[in-house]
Amino acid sequence: MTTTDTRWRNWASTAAAHPRAVARPRTDEDLARLVGEAAAGGRRMRAVGSGHSFTDCAVTTGTSVDLSALDRIEWVGPPSPDGSRPVRIGAGITLRRLCVELAERGLALANMGDIDAQTLAGAVSTGTHGTGERFTGFAGMVEHVRIVTADGSIRDTTPDSEPDLFEAARLGVGSLGVITALTLRAVPAFVLHAHEAPRPLAAVLEGLADTDGPVRSNDHFEFYWFPHTDLALTKANNVAAADDLPLPTTRRLLDDELLSNGLFAATNELCTLAPGLTPWVNRIAARALGERTYTAPSHAVFVTPRRVRFREMEYAIGAADLAPALARVRAWLDRRRAAVPFPIEVRFAAADDVWLSTAFGRRTAYVAVHQNLGLGFREYFRAVEAIMADFGGRPHWGKIHWLRRADLAELYPRFGDFLAVRDRVDPHGVFANRYTGRVFDTA
C-alpha cells in the first residue's frame, strides 16, 4: 500500500516532487488510517492524480496519495424526468475510463473539456471545464462529496448535509482532505455533430454578443486564434439524432494525427529552432486547417488527442469583456513579435455558484494561452496575466499563474467562507503545500 519509489513529475514538466512515501489506499478505511497517522505524526499529505495540472498543486515532501485503486462506479441512482441519473464514482477513475463505463450504462457527461487523461477528483478539484454557455464546469455537476478530513474521519457531504464542507470541498484544490468519491448527475448518452471551420477573427468576435451568434446558437462553441494572423478556427458541437451516427471512419483520426499532432509538432519544432519564422508558420498552419464535419458519441467529439506537450495559463473573464481583452493580447503579441506557435483557445461557460469556481456569479469567457516546452513562456504569460487583471480575471487553479491570497480574495466573494471551512477541518495544515500556502495563506 506504500512505496519508497517516489519520484514524480507532471505531464508538462513544470512541477516535480520526491515525497517521503507514496500511499495507494484500496478503501476509504485504509485512507482514513493513513491520514490519522500522518496527522498524529505532524506529517503532510497530498492527493495526486494523473499530473495534468501545470502548477505544483500536487507536490509534497510528505506522503503522496495515489487514488488509482478507487476507480469504480459505485452506484447509479434512479432517473429524473429528464432521464438524468445521479452516479457515485470513485475519485481515482480517469475521465477516459469514466466515459467508457457511463456509455456502457447508456449515460454520458453533459459536458467536458478536450483532455480525458485527468482523474475525476483532480478535474473537479481544480475547476476543469468544457465549453457551452448553458453548462458549468465539473464542480457544478457535483451533488455529493465523500472526503477523508485531517482527523481521519470519512464524511459524506451534500447541499443538505454539512453544506459548507460540501461547497468548499467540491472545488478545494485538495486543501480540505482527500476526496474518495463524488456523485455527479449524468445524462442519457448522446451524439454530437461537429462543425469546424476557419473564419476571420473579426467576424467571430463581432458575432459573439448576438442572440443568434455562435455562442448562443450552438450547444458548445469555442475558437482558436493563431497569433500574428487574422484567422480563427471555430468549433461548434450540437446534439444530433442517434441515427445520424455514421459508420466508423478513419478520416477524423487522420486529420487529428496529421494536422493537430504530426504537422503541429513539426511547426512547433521549426519555431523553436527559428523563432523569427513564427508569424509565417502560423499563417500557413491556420490555412492548413480546413472545414470539416463529423458525428460521433459525445465524449469522442469533446476530446482531442494531444501529442505535443506545452505549458498553459488560462484566465476567466466576463463574457462581455472578451473582445477588448483579446485585442490587448493581440497588440502585445504583435508589438513584441512574440514567438508563439500555439493558438489561443477561447471557451465559454454558464455562471455558477461554486465558491471557488472561475465562473462564480458571471457568464464567463475563458482565454487560454499555451507555449511549447522548448520556448520561453514567462514574459508572455505574465503579460497576459497583467491584461486579464484589468478585466477581473480569475486564473484556472490547475494552470500557471502568479496570484496570491490577497489577489484572489478580491476576485471571489466567498473566498473568506472557503478559508473558514478549510481552517476548521484542517487547522494544522495536514493537506497544505507550497501552492496552497501561496494561494490561500500568503498575502
Side-chain angles (χ1 to χ4, degrees):
M1 191 166 62
T2 60
T3 180
T4 56
D5 180 16
T6 63
R7 294 186 184 275
W8 173 88
R9 185 178 296 275
N10 69 345
W11 180 83
S13 297
T14 54
H18 192 182
R20 66 181 294 273
V22 175
R24 296 183 174 86
R26 303 194 64 82
T27 66
D28 287 26
E29 290 71 24
D30 286 344
L31 177 59
R33 178 179 56 79
L34 289 166
V35 171
E37 291 172 354
R43 299 189 300 274
R44 290 186 170 180
M45 307 183 77
R46 290 291 291 177
V48 63
S50 58
H52 264 268
S53 288
F54 295 84
T55 70
D56 53 349
C57 62
V59 168
T60 185
T61 56
T63 299
S64 182
V65 182
D66 178 348
L67 298 173
S68 56
L70 305 180
D71 64 345
R72 300 287 186 271
I73 290 182
E74 299 180 2
W75 167 80
V76 178
S80 296
D82 62 0
S84 66
R85 291 174 178 261
V87 182
R88 186 164 300 151
I89 309 153
I93 197 170
T94 64
L95 297 180
R96 182 178 299 124
R97 180 174 169 188
L98 175 59
C99 288
V100 171
E101 295 209 7
L102 287 175
E104 291 173 351
R105 295 164 171 81
L107 298 170
L109 296 171
N111 196 17
M112 59 187 300
D114 62 358
I115 296 175
D116 60 4
Q118 308 102 314
T119 62
L120 177 62
V124 170
S125 296
T126 56
T128 297
H129 60 89
T131 191
E133 193 180 56
R134 296 184 292 277
F135 299 88
T136 69
F138 279 116
M141 304 179 194
V142 173
E143 298 183 349
H144 154 268
V145 178
R146 193 167 71 226
I147 185 170
V148 177
T149 50
D151 60 359
S153 61
I154 303 168
R155 301 166 77 163
D156 284 283
T157 72
T158 69
D160 300 315
S161 174
E162 297 198 83
D164 284 354
L165 180 55
F166 167 78
E167 292 294 348
R170 63 174 168 161
L171 203 172
V173 203
S175 61
L176 286 90
V178 179
I179 294 172
T180 62
L182 293 151
T183 302
L184 304 181
R185 183 153 295 274
V187 301
F190 61 101
V191 166
L192 284 174
H193 176 76
H195 179 216
E196 302 176 4
R199 293 188 61 203
L201 176 64
V204 175
L205 294 176
E206 287 173 5
L208 293 181
D210 296 343
T211 56
D212 59 348
V215 175
R216 294 179 176 175
S217 63
N218 293 290
D219 294 326
H220 311 273
F221 177 79
E222 64 185 310
F223 67 89
Y224 295 79
W225 170 61
F226 292 82
H228 310 298
T229 80
D230 295 318
L231 286 176
L233 177 67
T234 62
K235 294 188 174 185
N237 300 328
N238 291 285
V239 176
D243 56 10
D244 285 346
L245 196 64
L247 294 173
T249 177
T250 59
R251 167 65 194 278
R252 187 192 172 207
L253 178 62
L254 289 172
D255 283 351
D256 285 336
E257 289 304 319
L258 179 60
L259 295 177
S260 300
N261 289 301
L263 178 60
F264 193 50
T267 58
N268 271 264
E269 182 66 23
L270 178 59
C271 292
T272 300
L273 295 173
L277 295 177
T278 300
W280 175 80
V281 168
N282 281 6
R283 286 191 288 271
I284 297 300
R287 288 174 171 81
L289 295 171
E291 186 169 2
R292 65 173 180 168
T293 61
Y294 56 92
T295 305
S298 58
H299 62 273
V301 174
F302 286 135
V303 175
T304 302
R306 295 292 182 94
R307 311 277 185 252
V308 180
R309 300 206 178 206
F310 53 86
R311 297 181 174 100
E312 181 177 358
M313 180 174 74
E314 181 182 75
Y315 264 84
I317 59 177
D321 292 326
L322 174 62
L326 200 59
R328 286 183 55 186
V329 173
R330 181 177 190 175
W332 185 90
L333 287 164
D334 289 344
R335 185 170 63 251
R336 300 288 297 182
R337 289 188 60 83
V340 180
F342 261 85
I344 292 176
E345 181 181 18
V346 177
R347 295 180 287 174
F348 303 89
D352 64 40
D353 61 356
V354 181
W355 288 358
L356 292 190
S357 169
T358 49
F360 182 91
R362 68 185 182 194
R363 290 177 52 246
T364 293
Y366 291 98
V367 179
V369 296
H370 311 70
Q371 185 62 296
N372 183 271
L373 291 188
L375 291 165
F377 69 93
R378 285 180 175 81
E379 183 187 23
Y380 174 33
F381 284 14
R382 283 191 177 275
V384 173
E385 184 168 76
I387 292 169
M388 295 301 153
D390 291 341
F391 297 94
R394 298 167 178 160
H396 190 297
W397 294 101
K399 299 179 183 179
I400 294 169
H401 70 93
W402 289 273
L403 269 58
R404 295 180 177 272
R405 170 176 169 161
D407 307 306
L408 294 161
E410 295 182 359
L411 298 172
Y412 292 92
R414 304 300 298 269
F415 196 78
D417 297 319
F418 172 84
L419 292 181
V421 176
R422 192 278 309 258
D423 293 345
R424 173 167 54 83
V425 299
D426 188 16
H428 304 296
V430 173
F431 301 106
N433 70 351
R434 181 180 298 178
Y435 179 79
T436 64
R438 175 164 66 89
V439 298
F440 296 140
D441 298 311
T442 303

